[in-house]
Amino acid sequence: MTTKDRSLAALGLDDVPAKAPLTYPGRPTPEPSLLTGDELLQLDVRPLRLGEWYVEERQEQQRLDEALAGLGQVVTGRRHPVISVGSNASPGQVAHKLTRLGIPATVPMVPVRVRGIGVGCSGHISPAGYVAGTPYVDRAAETTLVVAWLDSTQLKAVDDTEFPDYRRAILPGDEFGMTMPSGERLGGAYIYFSAHGVLADPATGLPRPGGGDQSALLATLLAASPRLRDLLGPDPATWVLRAGADRDLREQGTLIFGQEGWVLPQTEFLPYVDDSPVLRLYDDLPPLDDSLPALPTRP
């Protein structure tokens, strides 16, 4: 039982970009939390592995793994850490993706400092009509990104929403530093990256920053391309309405991105692509140093 209203609506985190494309990417989880249905419960960070943190807002203190087990859900050690870029960091979008398939939306979500990853714009138009975010390798970058701990059923469901436009890789923690609020350095985590490349900023030739205001992004793209204006214009609202309703228009718009010379190929994630049928678990990815005790995950 919570002591105050932790519903996504009360927290202002209930945007679902799949249903309202101009809200993309939605608001990311702002603090270590447990998403459970339409609630987002705070986690009390401890200098321990994730399952040993405590769930706040409850009458009785309870470790996260105890809370998950009490809900009939998989404990943290048997889940898969996934770096979430774009709307997968939004609890409203994650809850929508899972609950519409009848899958419990019970997911630990933690902002993590990640080195070596920038956030850009994918070189395609998504099925919802927006231009989604994608990570790219930038060895100088340090970014706060949400890591979601998904069980195998949840990961398969997210896979189905990402493929074939995105591919899944597993990034090693010794090459891409991932520091939890507890101080733990993750041994690795999954990430989805665009199979369509990254949109470049014509002024610099570098990846165009992603994850910002979708309306502003679409307005900029429309202003830069008469062909896009003819196809999807005159404004962002028209773009998402038309593109979201017509696959052929989305494919034509994606082709125009390439014809305008805006798309940078993504190759630096390819060495980390994960095609293994055996999925890596949090238990399989011990911390990179001895800053945390190696506690077993209790059932």
Side-chain angles (χ1 to χ4, degrees):
M1 177 178 177
T2 59
T3 58
K4 62 181 180 180
D5 190 349
R6 296 291 300 180
S7 69
L8 297 182
L11 296 172
L13 296 169
D14 57 339
D15 286 341
V16 179
K19 297 193 293 186
L22 292 181
T23 67
Y24 183 90
R27 288 185 58 201
T29 303
E31 59 193 348
S33 304
L34 172 63
L35 173 65
T36 175
D38 64 352
E39 287 191 313
L40 195 68
L41 306 180
Q42 290 176 300
L43 295 177
D44 179 17
V45 177
R46 306 292 176 96
L48 300 167
R49 293 278 271 178
L50 177 62
E52 302 294 323
W53 299 4
Y54 276 77
V55 180
E56 298 281 10
E57 317 293 332
R58 290 181 177 270
Q59 286 185 330
E60 296 181 5
Q61 279 206 330
Q62 194 173 37
R63 292 185 305 109
L64 175 56
D65 275 351
E66 292 173 338
L68 289 169
L71 293 168
Q73 303 301 305
V74 177
V75 297
T76 55
R78 308 302 298 171
R79 289 173 175 260
H80 315 282
V82 180
I83 300 171
S84 303
V85 176
S87 64
N88 285 339
S90 164
Q93 181 90 325
V94 172
H96 170 73
K97 283 186 175 185
L98 297 177
T99 56
R100 70 186 180 88
L101 299 173
I103 299 170
T106 305
V107 182
M109 304 180 74
V110 180
V112 173
R113 294 296 294 171
V114 181
R115 290 186 178 273
I117 298 296
V119 177
C121 304
S122 178
H124 83 295
I125 300 173
S126 76
Y130 50 69
V131 175
T134 185
Y136 62 91
V137 175
D138 178 355
R139 297 294 180 178
E142 181 173 282
T143 312
T144 297
L145 297 170
V146 173
V147 175
W149 271 257
L150 303 177
D151 67 29
S152 296
T153 300
Q154 293 167 340
L155 183 62
K156 174 62 166 60
V158 174
D159 276 353
D160 290 344
T161 69
E162 303 296 331
F163 298 159
D165 292 317
Y166 288 78
R167 301 185 69 183
R168 175 159 41 80
I170 186 161
L171 303 184
D174 57 350
E175 295 185 45
F176 298 88
M178 311 169 202
T179 305
M180 298 269 279
S182 60
E184 176 182 353
R185 294 175 57 224
L186 294 177
Y190 287 106
I191 197 168
Y192 295 95
F193 68 97
S194 177
H196 299 275
V198 184
L199 290 185
D201 182 340
T204 65
L206 300 174
R208 183 186 292 275
D213 183 280
Q214 182 69 192
S215 290
L217 171 62
L218 299 187
T220 299
L221 298 178
L222 287 168
S225 173
R227 285 181 290 185
L228 277 177
R229 289 198 299 276
D230 290 342
L231 183 71
L232 297 171
D235 53 43
T238 305
W239 173 314
V240 295
L241 183 65
R242 299 188 68 193
D246 191 324
R247 179 176 178 177
D248 185 58
L249 289 181
R250 294 195 297 272
E251 292 177 350
Q252 290 181 55
T254 297
L255 285 174
I256 290 172
F257 289 171
Q259 292 165 356
E260 294 286 1
W262 294 344
V263 180
L264 300 173
Q266 286 213 78
T267 59
E268 293 187 87
F269 283 122
L270 294 180
Y272 310 104
V273 167
D274 176 59
D275 292 322
S276 171
V278 180
L279 296 170
R280 302 290 296 278
L281 301 169
Y282 183 45
D283 271 353
D284 300 329
L285 299 163
L288 290 184
D289 53 37
D290 297 326
S291 62
L292 298 181
L295 294 175
T297 299
R298 300 183 179 92

